[in-house]
Amino acid sequence: MSDAAAAAYAMAPRERSRARSLVGDGGAAWLLTLPAIIAYLLMILLPLAGVLALAFTDYEFGGTSFRWIGSENFADMLKDRTFMASIRNTVIYCFFVVPLSIGIALLLAILIEAGARGRAFFRAVFFLPVVSLTVAMATAWQYLLHPSIGPVNAVLRGLGLGTPNWLGSSDWVLMSLGMIGVWENVGFNLVLFLAGLTAIPRELYGAAEVDGAKSAWSRFALVTWPLLGPTLLFVIIITMTRSIRVFDSVQTLTQGGPNNASEVLLRTIYQEGFHYFKFGYSAAITLVFLAIVLAVMLVQTRLIDRRIHYG
């Protein structure tokens, strides 16, 4: 090391100490967090303020002027059949996807964790849908569920059963999208449950067996379920959020059809804003969407968090 470099290195701690003394510990903390604060303001709060302002106007993209119309956009929602259909379909989709994807993922996680071999392989296989491109997977599902050449209906015909038009019938389309949603979410939830199961101390199962919990179900009820509570709460919140904001598979496979039978809330926001260019109305629906997400999160954390054991 040269003399100049050695001198600079020796001066560095003193310069840092001098800077700390000039701004103080509190000032240094604010300087360190300033980039994150600026990013939060520019990417979260500022767009949210813009949406909030647009929701009370009749602004259309490309227009040179707009009017403040108060709550007219919100009143129009109640008369909008597409909006009401999207609310109904989103609720049904969530009630179908959330419990099934969580239940199946938990069962698979317990089976994989209990097995001695192949854990890494099964984790990779079940996590594959999470890292796959949604459009590519949607194309594969479009072929699998095709009414005439799809393998699913080919199997059903071979069994002598009916062959529904999975993505083209109003009676079947939402359930078909729900099955795809379960397939997409199971892998993500599985990895989270495996992490939660790994964190449970093994000796607790031995202690439970000594105390009389001889069956696997008894050990699950006494040890696994209570200690898996924090992970379960996180999985419920994440799965519910992912289900409410479903968009890619609907847009790729059905475009909300047939007859709005698969129209969902996020796609309605997209259509009103970027297809019909009614930015004011789209912003109002966005506020309703955000309010629904916030309400769901509050209910879940208030009701479930009280029953969770944090070890």
Side-chain angles (χ1 to χ4, degrees):
M1 183 183 293
S2 65
D3 293 340
Y9 182 79
M11 288 287 291
R14 285 180 287 175
E15 293 297 328
R16 290 196 296 268
S17 178
R18 185 184 304 172
R20 191 181 300 112
S21 64
L22 288 175
V23 300
D25 290 339
W30 278 107
L31 286 175
L32 290 172
T33 57
L34 187 60
I37 293 173
I38 293 174
Y40 185 76
L41 288 172
L42 293 179
M43 294 189 291
I44 303 294
L45 293 185
L46 191 60
L48 184 59
V51 169
L52 186 61
L54 284 174
F56 297 94
T57 70
D58 64 349
Y59 179 71
E60 295 186 4
F61 184 73
T64 57
S65 63
F66 60 88
R67 294 184 303 111
W68 295 97
I69 58 175
S71 59
E72 284 187 25
N73 285 328
F74 298 94
D76 290 342
M77 290 181 201
L78 301 177
K79 299 178 288 186
D80 188 346
R81 293 182 180 179
T82 300
F83 172 76
M84 299 306 293
S86 69
I87 290 285
R88 182 185 65 251
N89 293 336
T90 302
V91 171
I92 295 173
Y93 180 89
C94 290
F95 273 100
F96 184 88
V97 171
V98 173
L100 280 178
S101 58
I102 293 176
I104 294 172
L106 179 58
L107 178 61
L108 290 174
I110 292 173
L111 294 175
I112 292 173
E113 188 64 20
R117 298 180 180 178
R119 295 183 185 179
F121 171 75
F122 286 112
R123 288 177 184 178
V125 168
F126 287 112
F127 196 70
L128 182 63
V130 181
V131 297
S132 301
L133 291 175
T134 305
V135 175
M137 291 298 98
T139 303
W141 277 108
Q142 200 166 31
Y143 165 69
L144 291 171
L145 299 178
H146 194 278
S148 57
I149 63 173
V152 174
N153 277 359
V155 172
L156 292 176
R157 277 193 296 269
L159 296 174
L161 301 176
T163 55
N165 187 357
W166 297 102
L167 299 174
S169 168
S170 299
D171 297 328
W172 290 96
V173 64
L174 200 56
M175 191 186 76
S176 303
L177 292 171
M179 291 189 295
I180 296 172
V182 171
W183 174 79
E184 290 175 343
N185 283 282
V186 161
F188 188 79
N189 295 341
L190 171 67
V191 172
L192 296 176
F193 279 130
L194 285 173
L197 291 171
T198 304
I200 298 176
R202 299 294 98 183
E203 57 268 18
L204 292 179
Y205 292 102
E209 189 170 358
V210 171
D211 288 340
K214 301 299 183 181
S215 66
W217 171 253
S218 299
R219 291 191 294 272
F220 172 81
L222 290 174
V223 179
T224 306
W225 184 253
L227 294 182
L228 204 61
T231 303
L232 179 64
L233 175 61
F234 181 73
V235 169
I236 291 174
I237 292 175
I238 291 297
T239 308
M240 182 65 75
T241 304
R242 286 163 61 95
S243 300
I244 291 175
R245 61 180 179 83
V246 60
F247 172 78
D248 294 348
S249 57
V250 175
Q251 179 65 17
T252 305
L253 292 172
T254 66
Q255 292 82 46
N259 300 321
N260 290 332
S262 62
E263 186 71 33
V264 289
L265 197 54
L266 208 59
R267 187 179 181 277
T268 302
I269 295 172
Y270 168 80
Q271 284 289 103
E272 295 294 340
F274 298 98
H275 187 76
Y276 303 119
F277 302 116
K278 296 163 62 176
F279 272 30
Y281 188 55
S282 178
I285 301 177
T286 302
L287 288 184
V288 173
F289 171 77
L290 294 176
I292 292 173
V293 173
L294 181 61
V296 169
M297 297 305 104
L298 288 176
V299 169
Q300 288 178 343
T301 52
R302 291 294 179 89
L303 294 181
I304 301 175
D305 192 57
R306 295 176 182 175
R307 298 177 172 86
I308 286 179
H309 169 75
Y310 292 94

